[in-house]
Amino acid sequence: MAVTSTPLSSALVIVYQAGLTPLGAPVTRQKSLNGLQFDADEQAIYNAAHALFSLSQYSVLDVLNRKTFELLEE
């Protein structure tokens, strides 16, 4: 049986360092921006994430493009 996939949504997820614990370990957080164009260029997504966080005091650790598909059996 064949399975087909249908694109549903895409989101930009930025993981950043929000500070340090009292013991010096990094505290990480993430910010998600939903409604990303599904076929957006990866380089443009990466550049946008870094441009947004250049306006803040936090350091970007990871930039993720989370895509969701619906899988259907034919």
Side-chain angles (χ1 to χ4, degrees):
M1 302 213 169
V3 174
T4 60
S5 64
T6 304
L8 292 179
S9 64
S10 182
L12 168 62
V13 180
I14 304 168
V15 180
Y16 61 95
Q17 183 172 336
L20 298 172
T21 66
L23 298 176
V27 175
T28 60
R29 300 277 188 262
Q30 69 180 27
K31 176 67 180 167
S32 298
L33 300 170
N34 298 320
L36 199 63
Q37 186 175 351
F38 200 83
D39 59 349
D41 179 61
E42 285 85 5
Q43 185 66 50
I45 294 169
Y46 182 85
N47 292 344
H50 282 277
L52 286 170
F53 270 76
S54 71
L55 302 172
S56 75
Q57 63 186 8
Y58 302 119
S59 301
V60 175
L61 300 176
D62 288 313
V63 178
L64 308 171
N65 184 3
R66 184 180 300 148
K67 293 185 177 187
T68 305
F69 295 87
E70 179 180 28
L71 302 177
L72 299 171
E73 187 175 11
E74 290 184 346

